[in-house]
Amino acid sequence: MCMVIKRISSLMVVLVMVCSQSIKAQVFHDTLSSTYGVSEMQQVFYKTPVDTLWLTLDQALQIALSENPTIHVADQEITKQEYAKKGTYSSLFPQVDFSGAYQRTIEKQTMYMDGMEGMSGGLKVGRDNYYSAGFTASMPLISAPLWQSLKISAYDVEVSIEKARSSRIEMEDQVKQAFYSVLLAHDALNVFRQAYDNAVFNYNEIERKYQQGLLAEYDLIRANVNVKNAEPNMYDAENSLILARWRLKALLGLDLESNIECVGSLSDFEQNLIGDYLNTNLSLENNSNLKQLDLQHKQLETTKKMQTAQYYPTLSLGFDYQWISMNNNFKFKDYNWDPYSTLSLSLKIPIFSGGKRYSDVKQTQISIKQLENQRLDTERSLNVAAKQYNDQMKTCIKQYQAASAGVEEAEKSYNITMKRYETGEGTMLEINDAQLSLTQSQLNLNQSIYNYLVAKSGLDKTLGETPDY
């Protein structure tokens, strides 16, 4: 008897909480009730938009990876770094330039010559106008710093490619979670719809028996209250579904006003849970963060070699071909253009730079040690995250097994309660209790599957599983 009283009190508390949290929804219900009957209201709840885009998970991932601006930015960064690499390689080729100059002499230079009569006052030399035009070409023959800088540019491209892969992995995780959220919201809506349908069915049966004088008005009132109490949960579930779809459409780059539907349900993933968990590999070999750190470490090592190469001599080749003309007037057609050309080798040997080269090398060595410590810390954190996701998946499987058994028992309990009520042995309170247990067990089952899928997606992101789309 005490257990029955406790069960009744807990059920009443739940009913009070539902009613208190659904005032706005109840106002909407009253508006619908004044316009539609119970059967017509069911049609309102089950209304489906026309011109709907149906998406599977694979299709959603393909759209996101092709339309999302984040992915476009990552791809553009790769192209930019490839052009930067080409720009660095261009330093190996001759640099050819054309130049022209004009010089106006304001005060001519005076030249003195000893031992010559009449030259004591000096001799003004030069002309008023000086013109030059021609080509210059130069190219490095031996330059160790330049060769190392080419390797650094190649690593820049590899880093940008790895960052693009990281963006795709991150986007895949976000799209999966958004897709699973839509499925969860949709399945939750179906659960609350089933509860609503059961409440409407019970109301119609009780109303028929009440008209026949087989039941009291109290049962009819309680059945009507159950219908009204089932509606707010449907409104909340519908709103959650709308929000989940908005998030998914934003990730896919679709118009928020467009209509989409996710194909399938969470139950489609049930049969793969245990097998998928058993095949889980916790290796961080493909983790994008670690790969980026490794590439940065190679870059720093190459930078150190480039800075050390600043101590080495460099040899370059130069060629100059000019046309020169000097005149005192501006009669261009009478000008004489005299060619002038040179070929040169330039050797540069570093001797003293005030300690700059030494300081640059020491600074890079410290950066290398910092990066090594950062990688060690990152690897430890990633190992913890991977084990945490794996433990969450294991817990979700246990929750799924318990919830699955709970749904079976709750369905049996509800069917038995309905039979008892039809034979006059049960009460409305027992029906409400059985319906509440059935609804909760179904929600627990969907939530356990959803939690597993989200944990699995997070683990894939941590391990660096690359999407094949």
Side-chain angles (χ1 to χ4, degrees):
M1 185 65 179
C2 294
M3 294 297 294
V4 174
I5 295 175
K6 289 182 180 179
R7 194 67 170 174
I8 293 174
S9 62
S10 62
L11 182 60
M12 294 302 294
V13 170
V14 173
L15 292 175
V16 170
M17 291 177 64
V18 171
C19 293
S20 63
Q21 295 177 359
S22 308
I23 296 176
K24 293 183 180 180
Q26 191 62 48
V27 172
F28 180 58
H29 157 75
D30 295 338
T31 304
L32 288 177
S33 299
S34 62
T35 308
Y36 306 101
V38 174
S39 60
E40 287 82 357
M41 286 178 64
Q42 285 181 287
Q43 298 178 3
V44 174
F45 288 127
Y46 288 87
K47 184 178 179 180
T48 303
V50 190
D51 299 332
T52 300
L53 175 63
W54 295 85
L55 293 174
T56 63
L57 177 59
D58 290 347
Q59 291 171 339
L61 289 170
Q62 290 175 1
I63 293 175
L65 295 178
S66 62
E67 300 296 333
N68 191 276
T70 303
I71 304 300
H72 291 169
V73 171
D75 292 338
Q76 290 167 357
E77 182 66 22
I78 295 176
T79 304
K80 185 177 75 172
Q81 292 300 330
E82 287 177 345
Y83 279 115
K85 179 181 176 182
K86 293 179 180 179
T88 305
Y89 271 87
S90 65
S91 301
L92 295 173
F93 298 95
Q95 307 296 312
V96 181
D97 299 301
F98 175 82
S99 62
Y102 166 74
Q103 180 178 331
R104 176 70 179 181
T105 303
I106 298 176
E107 185 68 29
K108 295 181 180 180
Q109 184 178 7
T110 302
M111 184 178 67
Y112 295 91
M113 299 182 66
D114 296 333
M116 295 185 64
E117 297 181 0
M119 293 293 294
S120 59
L123 176 66
K124 298 289 185 179
V125 297
R127 293 185 176 182
D128 294 336
N129 301 316
Y130 175 85
Y131 302 90
S132 65
F135 296 91
T136 59
S138 63
M139 67 175 295
L141 298 179
I142 300 176
S143 178
L146 175 59
W147 299 336
Q148 296 298 331
S149 66
L150 298 179
K151 296 180 181 179
I152 295 176
S153 298
Y155 284 131
D156 285 335
V157 176
E158 291 186 38
V159 170
S160 62
I161 293 175
E162 187 58 37
K163 287 182 178 180
R165 191 178 78 93
S166 177
S167 298
R168 282 176 166 77
I169 294 173
E170 179 69 26
M171 180 56 58
E172 182 190 25
D173 177 60
Q174 294 181 13
V175 171
K176 281 184 176 181
Q177 292 196 30
F179 190 89
Y180 296 148
S181 295
V182 173
L183 295 184
L184 177 65
H186 192 272
D187 288 352
L189 178 60
N190 289 337
V191 170
F192 289 122
R193 277 176 175 172
Q194 180 183 357
Y196 175 77
D197 291 341
N198 291 341
V200 171
F201 176 79
N202 293 336
Y203 173 81
N204 293 333
E205 289 296 315
I206 292 174
E207 183 182 30
R208 180 177 59 81
K209 293 182 179 180
Y210 172 75
Q211 297 295 340
Q212 297 174 358
L214 300 177
L215 292 176
E217 185 179 4
Y218 171 79
D219 290 332
L220 181 62
I221 294 175
R222 287 301 305 272
N224 189 32
V225 170
N226 290 340
V227 173
K228 294 181 179 180
N229 288 338
E231 292 170 14
N233 292 330
M234 293 185 62
Y235 303 146
D236 292 338
E238 286 179 338
N239 185 60
S240 298
L241 181 58
I242 292 174
L243 294 178
R245 285 172 177 165
W246 280 352
R247 183 190 175 198
L248 180 59
K249 284 186 281 189
L251 290 173
L252 300 184
L254 301 177
D255 185 2
L256 295 182
E257 300 301 324
S258 61
N259 298 317
I260 65 171
E261 285 289 344
C262 295
V263 178
S265 64
L266 292 175
S267 59
D268 297 337
F269 300 91
E270 287 184 76
Q271 58 184 0
N272 298 326
L273 294 186
I274 298 179
D276 183 67
Y277 173 76
L278 294 177
N279 294 327
T280 300
N281 182 13
L282 300 183
S283 173
L284 296 174
E285 180 182 357
N286 294 322
N287 180 268
S288 182
N289 292 333
L290 294 181
K291 284 195 169 186
Q292 290 181 45
L293 290 174
D294 291 338
L295 289 172
Q296 291 173 14
H297 186 273
K298 293 179 180 179
Q299 275 187 314
L300 288 175
E301 290 287 355
T302 307
T303 300
K304 178 183 174 183
K305 293 179 180 179
M306 181 185 69
Q307 293 169 344
T308 304
Q310 297 291 339
Y311 290 96
Y312 305 155
T314 58
L315 181 65
S316 60
L317 176 66
F319 176 75
D320 187 18
Y321 195 95
Q322 300 284 333
W323 288 274
I324 300 173
S325 179
M326 293 183 290
N327 298 275
N328 291 322
N329 54 45
F330 293 98
K331 297 179 180 180
F332 296 102
K333 64 180 181 177
D334 296 332
Y335 284 4
N336 293 322
W337 293 90
D338 301 315
Y340 170 78
S341 61
T342 61
L343 180 65
S344 63
L345 283 174
S346 177
L347 177 64
K348 179 180 178 183
I349 302 176
I351 296 177
F352 181 71
S353 63
K356 182 180 184 303
R357 289 186 288 267
Y358 176 82
S359 299
D360 290 342
V361 173
K362 288 299 182 181
Q363 181 179 352
T364 303
Q365 288 176 343
I366 295 175
S367 298
I368 291 174
K369 292 180 180 179
Q370 289 177 328
L371 189 64
E372 290 173 351
N373 292 330
Q374 180 183 352
R375 190 192 187 285
L376 180 61
D377 182 67
T378 301
E379 186 175 9
R380 289 173 178 173
S381 300
L382 291 172
N383 276 320
V384 172
K387 291 183 180 297
Q388 183 178 359
Y389 282 126
N390 188 64
D391 186 67
Q392 289 178 0
M393 292 165 60
K394 182 179 179 180
T395 302
C396 290
I397 289 178
K398 293 180 180 179
Q399 293 174 345
Y400 163 75
Q401 292 173 340
S404 181
V407 170
E408 294 180 4
E409 295 297 326
E411 289 176 346
K412 290 180 181 179
S413 175
Y414 181 80
N415 294 331
I416 293 174
T417 302
M418 290 301 300
K419 293 295 183 181
R420 283 172 50 82
Y421 186 80
E422 291 175 0
T423 59
E425 297 180 3
T427 63
M428 280 298 301
L429 185 60
E430 292 178 349
I431 294 178
N432 294 338
D433 185 36
Q435 180 60 65
L436 182 62
S437 298
L438 177 60
T439 301
Q440 189 61 50
S441 61
Q442 290 173 332
L443 293 176
N444 290 340
L445 178 62
N446 293 334
Q447 189 68 44
S448 64
I449 300 175
Y450 170 79
N451 290 341
Y452 177 88
L453 295 175
V454 170
K456 174 61 176 174
S457 179
L459 179 62
D460 289 342
K461 182 183 72 171
T462 302
L463 299 181
E465 299 294 335
T466 306
D468 297 326
Y469 301 101

